[in-house]
Amino acid sequence: MSDEIKVISASLSPSTGQPQYTQSGKDAVMIPNYGTINMQVTQQTVSMPYFGGNIYVPPRVDREYYNIFVLAGEEFDRPYVKVPRDRSLNECMTEETMVKFSSLTEENRTQIKTMPSLFMAENNKYGKADESQNVIYGFIPDIKVYDNYVKAYFCGYRLDVPQWRLNELLDELQLVGDNRFNEMNRTHWSIKRCDLIQELLEAGVQIPVFTIGDSH
């Protein structure tokens, strides 16, 4: 992975009011694995085509918790995912976290939208991910609750983070199971009380890191 691109910053243009970007790096080379990107944003949604579309960044990132979405057969080709209600926030969680979030009150939803999130298909190989499976990292700008399923809109970044790498970080990421069979083998949505960003960075997994800049 190239280390040339280090920082991308986004701010509003004083003349047009549209996002403008500053990128450091030799010849502004675009690379498939973006490494750790410190991004300062002054609005909640900015458009960055080389990330694959609009990026939603919450006004505050809650690093105490994170969401994990595991979905069988999902290709993530739509701006949302559907999770069965009976597999939403009622398994692979501590009792304390389940009690806190399972009701999906308006207050819960507001907090969930500030949490970093992982999106992935079920492991293709029994107990392990296929070599071709990558994790999507991002945030949830909106949640709709229906009788049979929860519809979670998401904005994610298709990073070159292999899913099998998470199988090596079960304890660090508070994931349930072992290297033979774990929760990445089952469709569900759960919330973990864990600083996902810190744990991934300490494990050498490169992800974008966002900070909110001063709008003045």
Side-chain angles (χ1 to χ4, degrees):
M1 184 190 74
S2 170
D3 292 327
E4 294 295 339
I5 296 179
K6 290 299 184 183
V7 179
I8 298 175
S9 62
S11 60
L12 294 181
S13 168
S15 58
T16 66
Q18 297 300 311
Q20 59 184 3
Y21 311 103
T22 302
Q23 177 173 298
S24 66
K26 183 178 180 181
D27 298 326
V29 177
M30 305 307 173
I31 53 178
N33 189 331
Y34 311 104
T36 300
I37 298 167
N38 296 298
M39 178 183 293
Q40 293 191 350
V41 298
T42 56
Q43 60 179 29
Q44 291 187 39
T45 304
V46 295
S47 179
M48 300 183 72
Y50 40 87
F51 272 117
N54 290 333
I55 294 177
Y56 165 78
V57 181
R60 177 184 63 84
V61 177
D62 183 346
R63 291 178 56 163
E64 184 177 0
Y65 298 92
Y66 78 90
N67 297 287
I68 178 169
F69 291 85
V70 182
L71 298 154
E74 180 60 64
E75 297 183 359
F76 299 99
D77 54 353
R78 300 169 295 181
Y80 59 84
V81 295
K82 292 180 179 179
V83 188
R85 281 291 301 273
D86 61 357
R87 297 196 184 187
S88 297
L89 304 182
N90 60 5
E91 58 182 80
C92 299
M93 299 168 62
T94 65
E95 182 176 355
E96 178 184 7
T97 305
M98 195 179 303
V99 169
K100 179 176 176 62
F101 290 106
S102 61
S103 59
L104 277 176
T105 63
E106 192 62 37
E107 182 180 2
N108 290 157
R109 296 188 213 185
T110 298
Q111 184 174 0
I112 287 169
K113 294 174 188 178
T114 69
M115 300 174 190
S117 303
L118 297 177
F119 305 89
M120 66 195 76
E122 287 184 4
N123 287 338
N124 285 337
K125 294 183 178 179
Y126 189 81
K128 295 182 180 180
D130 187 272
E131 291 291 334
S132 65
Q133 289 184 265
N134 287 339
V135 176
I136 297 176
Y137 168 88
F139 295 93
I140 306 168
D142 198 15
I143 302 168
K144 304 288 187 185
V145 180
Y146 297 96
D147 288 339
N148 297 324
Y149 60 87
V150 175
K151 192 174 187 179
Y153 290 82
F154 76 98
C155 181
Y157 321 103
R158 292 179 179 271
L159 305 179
D160 294 339
V161 177
Q163 190 163 315
W164 59 262
R165 186 74 176 89
L166 300 189
N167 282 275
E168 301 176 340
L169 300 171
L170 297 179
D171 291 340
E172 290 83 352
L173 300 183
Q174 308 297 304
L175 297 174
V176 175
D178 54 38
N179 59 8
R180 295 183 302 276
F181 190 88
N182 56 64
E183 65 180 272
M184 289 182 286
N185 291 84
R186 177 173 170 81
T187 291
H188 73 289
W189 166 27
S190 65
I191 292 176
K192 308 293 184 176
R193 189 171 189 176
C194 170
D195 187 343
L196 174 70
I197 294 171
Q198 185 70 28
E199 293 296 338
L200 289 180
L201 292 179
E202 287 182 357
V205 178
Q206 303 286 318
I207 58 171
V209 177
F210 301 96
T211 58
I212 302 302
D214 188 348
S215 60
H216 301 289

